[in-house]
Amino acid sequence: MKTSSKKIVCLHLQALFVWSVLCALVAMDNPARAASATWLASPFNNNWIAAPTTNNWSTGAGTFPGATSGTSNGDIASFTNASLITTINCGGAFVIGGFVFDSTNASAYTINVSSSGGASGTWRLNNNAVVRVTSTVTNRQTINGQLRIASTGTANFVSDSTTPTATLNITGGVSVNNSGTSGTLYLGGTNTGPNIMGAYVEQGSPPIIFGTLIKTNSGLWVLTGNNTHHNNTLILGGTLMLMGSGAIPNSPVITVNGATLNISNTLTSVNYMIVTNSGALLLTNTFNRTPVTIGTLTASNATFHLGVNGATPFTNIVVTSVLDAGPGITLAIDQVANLPVGMTFALISYTGTDPDPASFTVTGLPSGYTAGAVTVDTVNKLVTVTVTPSSVASSLVWTGSINSNWDTTTKNWVDATILTLQRTYANPDATIFNDTAANGTVTLTAAFSPFNVAVTNYTRSYTFNGTGKISGPMA
């Protein structure tokens, strides 16, 4: 049988046409995806997922790092340029291998992921993903929206900038995956911050896949949300701080080993805390507040930074189950207020076996105060100490007649009773700032603990500055 060559060519052309149409349809439905890429200095728009003709990334038009489907992807998104567009949106389901903010040129970027970008969906991190700010970055970096750890995965957030304000901020926090066996969140880096982690949570109600939180390196991370993870919390370096709604209610063991847990709000946990190996518990909001409450507290070679208030005494640490006090516990009373005469304060309450008073020493009082030896009230189950001002508090009025320094050597004050008598300040003098001052600039040269601070100005404006601070009540 003879076959026409014209017919064969025609069939080939038809097949080629069909194939071209199919390829075009696939391309329209699946925009091209790059491997790792860098956000451009002059991108076309603010969309992470670039349209086929849109050039936002270093890998060319229609490309982007990461994927809109699947649960695993190794692409790294880099942000190194001083860009004309610094707010980037990527709503909807997505997966990526990590983020890197690098170089002194990097702008202050804000990346809106998941529902924060206007669409719902889960933003997943590849296993062992790293979200990092390098040492040379000079601007704050922010990711809005929640990121999810890979199944049985680990996520690392590292903030290493040598510029304190160039922080890493994960406002929506991180969640453990709802599949696999566990999740682990690392917070690291050397940046002094504060770097922000919204909250570390688990999926499901009740959750069945639990998460572990580990703080490493010398930097500062702040937890601003309710961290509901059910595995251990390990603070192994630098400072982990609870602020605002920050809480760790479910973690079975909170270990502070050679690091600091800073509680600027309050902490309540029925479980177990260990503070050891030069670890520290720092309470920075100790006036008129709820004390720290913990089920079992084990401590040795540890420092508790506490405060006392003569007007409203309170117990700094409430142990509801067992206080296991080993050797080398320092009670650093950093804050003293409203204390005109000596008073005995309950610093720790406990149940069960009485601790040895020899386990405790007291340091860190502001100048002008002294403390006696620690005693243990075995009847009321209290660890107590008596704090005494070294002199009776006077009332002083600021004049600033010599210079602007609030210190303990310059006679920038007058006695409130004998206004012609120039005085120097000493803790715990009461201080008054009114309209009679010659100088309205007050430079704090150290940390001071006045009995109170009364600002009664109407015509004189005051500016308080300097490297020091005031601890105590304001009137």
Side-chain angles (χ1 to χ4, degrees):
M1 178 187 300
K2 290 202 318 181
T3 303
S4 168
S5 60
K6 291 184 178 181
K7 186 174 181 180
I8 293 174
V9 171
C10 183
L11 290 173
H12 284 179
L13 289 174
Q14 290 176 344
L16 182 60
F17 174 75
V18 172
W19 176 254
S20 298
V21 171
L22 290 174
C23 289
L25 290 173
V26 170
M28 292 173 61
D29 189 54
N30 295 281
R33 181 189 59 78
S36 298
T38 300
W39 185 257
L40 294 177
S42 300
F44 181 80
N45 59 27
N46 68 344
N47 292 328
W48 183 296
I49 302 174
T53 59
T54 299
N55 193 7
N56 289 339
W57 298 92
S58 60
T59 42
T63 66
F64 55 89
T68 57
S69 61
T71 59
S72 178
N73 183 276
D75 294 352
I76 304 299
S78 297
F79 302 87
T80 63
N81 293 312
S83 183
L84 297 177
I85 297 177
T86 59
T87 298
I88 305 163
N89 295 328
C90 186
F94 206 78
V95 59
I96 190 132
F99 302 74
V100 175
F101 302 91
D102 190 16
S103 90
T104 56
N105 295 324
S107 298
Y109 286 97
T110 298
I111 302 172
N112 297 315
V113 306
S114 193
S115 57
S116 65
S120 61
T122 300
W123 250 73
R124 302 176 188 274
L125 296 174
N126 204 48
N127 190 23
N128 292 317
V130 177
V131 180
R132 184 182 181 192
V133 174
T134 67
S135 61
T136 58
V137 174
T138 59
N139 289 306
R140 172 187 173 100
Q141 309 300 331
T142 300
I143 299 176
N144 292 322
Q146 189 181 88
L147 302 174
R148 184 176 295 185
I149 298 175
S151 176
T152 317
T154 296
N156 304 272
F157 292 80
V158 182
S159 184
D160 272 330
S161 175
T162 57
T163 302
T165 56
T167 56
L168 177 58
N169 304 275
I170 315 299
T171 61
V174 172
S175 69
V176 178
N177 206 291
N178 54 2
S179 66
T181 59
S182 63
T184 304
L185 171 62
Y186 282 90
L187 300 178
T190 57
N191 180 265
T192 55
N195 300 280
I196 303 298
M197 176 60 65
Y200 183 39
V201 299
E202 297 159 341
Q203 300 294 313
S205 181
I208 57 174
I209 310 300
F210 292 168
T212 299
L213 173 59
I214 302 176
K215 168 68 178 71
T216 63
N217 305 127
S218 60
L220 167 63
W221 277 90
V222 178
L223 303 178
T224 60
N226 188 20
N227 301 271
T228 55
H229 61 286
H230 285 77
N231 273 349
N232 295 340
T233 299
L234 306 175
I235 307 167
L236 307 179
T239 300
L240 184 68
M241 183 177 185
L242 300 181
M243 179 181 288
S245 300
I248 311 176
N250 301 324
S251 195
V253 181
I254 301 172
T255 299
V256 185
N257 187 332
T260 298
L261 174 59
N262 184 340
I263 301 170
S264 69
N265 46 20
T266 187
L267 172 68
T268 300
S269 174
V270 298
N271 296 314
Y272 187 23
M273 179 183 290
I274 302 170
V275 186
T276 189
N277 192 28
S278 298
L281 184 62
L282 173 60
L283 312 185
T284 57
N285 184 20
T286 56
F287 299 119
N288 303 304
R289 63 177 296 280
T290 304
V292 170
T293 303
I294 193 77
T296 296
L297 176 61
T298 295
S300 62
N301 188 22
T303 300
F304 298 150
H305 293 271
L306 312 173
V308 296
N309 191 326
T312 54
F314 60 90
T315 303
N316 281 253
I317 302 173
V318 175
V319 181
T320 59
S321 182
V322 176
L323 173 61
D324 182 6
I329 301 175
T330 299
L331 304 177
I333 303 177
D334 302 324
Q335 302 178 61
V336 179
N338 298 314
L339 192 63
V341 297
M343 289 183 62
T344 298
F345 294 94
L347 302 180
I348 304 173
S349 68
Y350 64 93
T351 61
T353 304
D354 300 315
D356 184 352
S359 296
F360 304 95
T361 57
V362 178
T363 65
L365 283 96
S367 62
Y369 298 93
T370 59
V374 173
T375 60
V376 174
D377 181 344
T378 59
V379 176
N380 297 303
K381 301 293 184 179
L382 299 171
V383 176
T384 67
V385 68
T386 298
V387 179
T388 305
S390 57
S391 61
V392 177
S394 301
S395 290
L396 304 180
V397 179
W398 171 263
T399 65
S401 58
I402 297 176
N403 55 37
S404 64
N405 290 340
W406 181 345
D407 54 29
T408 57
T409 59
T410 307
K411 291 184 177 181
N412 275 326
W413 309 81
V414 294
D415 190 276
T417 303
I418 308 173
L419 294 176
T420 58
L421 178 61
Q422 287 186 300
R423 296 281 301 273
T424 60
Y425 172 84
N427 285 334
D429 289 341
T431 59
I432 301 170
F433 297 87
N434 58 26
D435 291 325
T436 64
N439 184 357
T441 299
V442 183
T443 301
L444 297 161
T445 61
F448 299 109
S449 299
F451 179 71
N452 63 26
V453 178
V455 181
T456 59
N457 58 314
Y458 293 95
T459 60
R460 162 61 70 188
S461 297
Y462 282 94
T463 300
F464 292 83
N465 58 29
T467 58
K469 65 178 182 178
I470 302 171
S471 298
M474 300 288 289

